[in-house]
Amino acid sequence: MRAPDSIPAATSPLAAGRELSGRAVLVLVFLPFALGHFLSCLIRTVNATLAPQLVAALGLTPGQLGLLTSAFFFAFALAQLPVGIALDRWGPARVQLPMLLLAAVGTLAFAGGQTFAQLLAARAVIGLGLGGCFMSAVKAISAWIAPARLPSVQGYLIAVGGLGAASATLPVRLALHYMDWRGLFLWLAAAAALTGMLIRVLSPSPPDDARKPALLEAMRAVYRHPAFRETASLVLVPHMVFFGLQGLWIARWLSDVAGFNEEAVGYLLYLGMAAVIFGAIATGMLTEWMGRRGVRTISVAAVGVALFIGVQLGFVCNWRPSYQLLSVLFTLVGTVTGIEYTIVAQSLPAALTGRAATCLNLLIFLGAFAVQAGFGLVVGCWRPDGPGHYPAAAYQTAFGALVLLQLPGLLWFMRRRAGNPVEWASHPSRL
């Protein structure tokens, strides 16, 4: 990440009386918060790798497996409003320490859980504790990075999250040679607590924002903002689908439909999550490059959403030439959905960036919860074969339903653009 020019610092003990250099912003702001996002993505995705062990230990049905994993999303969504308010009031560093300590407690509880209900509750506590990782990072970065550079820097942040998700695949499988899944969660609990302490110690206070509006005023301002509404109508549902399916149901599809064994599934998940890193960086760089040529960021998002829906049609049609390629393309192309954070951060006043990310995350993770749990319920309508594999028709139906949910937003965007060519041509710099 190329660091920005020096920016006047606030009254942090680390930065008082001097400016933060570009290197200091990288070390004190980007890396600590990116580490929290890395850990959040790792824990969010790890159940995909552990699914066989969890199913064997608890005898879970597809619906229960989906509910157990998606409890993270539901609790994550519940945390968004209070976390967003806290971020705007106290700043990301002061918020992250208690949140990550809570995540550590939930991770410890998951490691010691003996029943489905105990694991479900522990997974929800983990989601609550990790609910501020990405928002805190976005808030911190937005305070120190020039708006013109936000697409690429946030692309790097999403890439770090992709690295975390990739670490939940093959590296976790290797770790399971030396410990069981309970031991793994003990290590994750320690990592969560240490990351929170690191952020609190290193992170400087951000520059003071303008007056921070009251909660209801801020929520109304965010939801009524044209850029937020336009972005949400196009990208929100695809983002829900990407978060809800990556890892867990892609892994089950590779096992049930494509017929790969656990080792092959783990390897393909690793490739898919690694593709997130490339996709996020490429999306950020492409968005900046297109922006310098007068192309709106929302137009880049529209092309990406269309490609993402096209990949999902491959699952619906049970595209046989390369199941491996299809699974990797899902995560590679799906990273474009993260562009909505950039659009909102560039468009809204600085005092609203925390709550804007809150609004997005609230909707995204509630939707991801519904997608992940609902997908399992649809698949569970079919009977498995002897080894416990569900038929291709079950997955085709579930993917088909999701495609139908995403098409209206893309079609509305295309219709609006076709119906207002003067507006789009007259304001190339608009988001």
Side-chain angles (χ1 to χ4, degrees), residues 328-355:
V328 173
L329 283 177
F330 181 87
T331 50
L332 175 65
V333 180
T335 55
V336 77
T337 57
I339 203 173
E340 60 186 332
Y341 292 105
T342 296
I343 300 173
V344 170
Q346 288 178 326
S347 306
L348 272 66
L352 291 176
T353 55
R355 295 181 194 182

Side-chain angles (χ1 to χ4, degrees), residues 244-269:
L245 296 188
Q246 69 162 335
L248 180 63
W249 291 118
I250 296 299
R252 304 312 296 168
W253 177 85
L254 285 168
S255 176
D256 292 353
V257 178
F260 292 111
N261 59 31
E262 285 189 27
E263 288 74 17
V265 170
Y267 177 70
L268 289 171
L269 283 180

Side-chain angles (χ1 to χ4, degrees), residues 189-405:
L194 289 173
T195 300
M197 296 176 188
L198 183 68
I199 289 174
R200 187 67 183 94
V201 169
L202 290 183
S203 180
S205 299
D208 291 333
D209 289 335
R211 181 188 69 88
K212 298 175 177 61
L215 172 61
L216 292 180
E217 178 188 350
M219 294 298 109
R220 283 195 295 265
V222 169
Y223 282 113
R224 290 177 178 176
H225 198 286
F228 184 91
R229 295 171 64 180
E230 183 178 40
T231 304
S233 65
L234 173 66
V235 190
L236 187 61
V237 177
H239 206 158
M240 295 172 181
V241 171
F242 177 60
F243 271 11
L245 296 188
Q246 69 162 335
L248 180 63
W249 291 118
I250 296 299
R252 304 312 296 168
W253 177 85
L254 285 168
S255 176
D256 292 353
V257 178
F260 292 111
N261 59 31
E262 285 189 27
E263 288 74 17
V265 170
Y267 177 70
L268 289 171
L269 283 180
Y270 177 78
L271 289 181
M273 298 307 177
V276 172
I277 303 170
F278 174 80
I281 295 175
T283 297
M285 295 177 65
L286 178 64
T287 300
E288 282 192 13
W289 184 81
M290 297 292 284
R292 290 193 294 268
R293 285 153 181 79
V295 179
R296 299 176 72 205
T297 307
I298 193 73
S299 299
V300 178
V303 174
V305 167
L307 292 173
F308 186 52
I309 293 175
V311 171
Q312 293 170 66
L313 287 173
F315 290 93
V316 176
C317 298
N318 200 23
W319 191 58
R320 293 181 179 276
S322 180
Y323 286 140
Q324 301 97 316
L325 178 61
L326 199 59
S327 66
V328 173
L329 283 177
F330 181 87
T331 50
L332 175 65
V333 180
T335 55
V336 77
T337 57
I339 203 173
E340 60 186 332
Y341 292 105
T342 296
I343 300 173
V344 170
Q346 288 178 326
S347 306
L348 272 66
L352 291 176
T353 55
R355 295 181 194 182
T358 288
C359 294
L360 279 177
N361 276 351
L362 175 65
L363 298 173
I364 290 168
F365 284 94
L366 281 176
F369 164 77
V371 167
Q372 197 166 80
F375 197 95
L377 292 175
V378 172
V379 171
C381 291
W382 277 258
R383 289 186 177 182
D385 59 16
H389 298 303
Y390 286 79
Y395 289 89
Q396 289 175 288
T397 302
F399 274 109
L402 294 179
V403 167
L404 292 177
L405 288 176

Side-chain angles (χ1 to χ4, degrees), residues 133-149:
C133 286
F134 185 75
M135 285 198 308
S136 294
V138 170
K139 180 71 175 177
I141 289 171
S142 299
W144 294 102
I145 302 296
R149 297 219 56 235

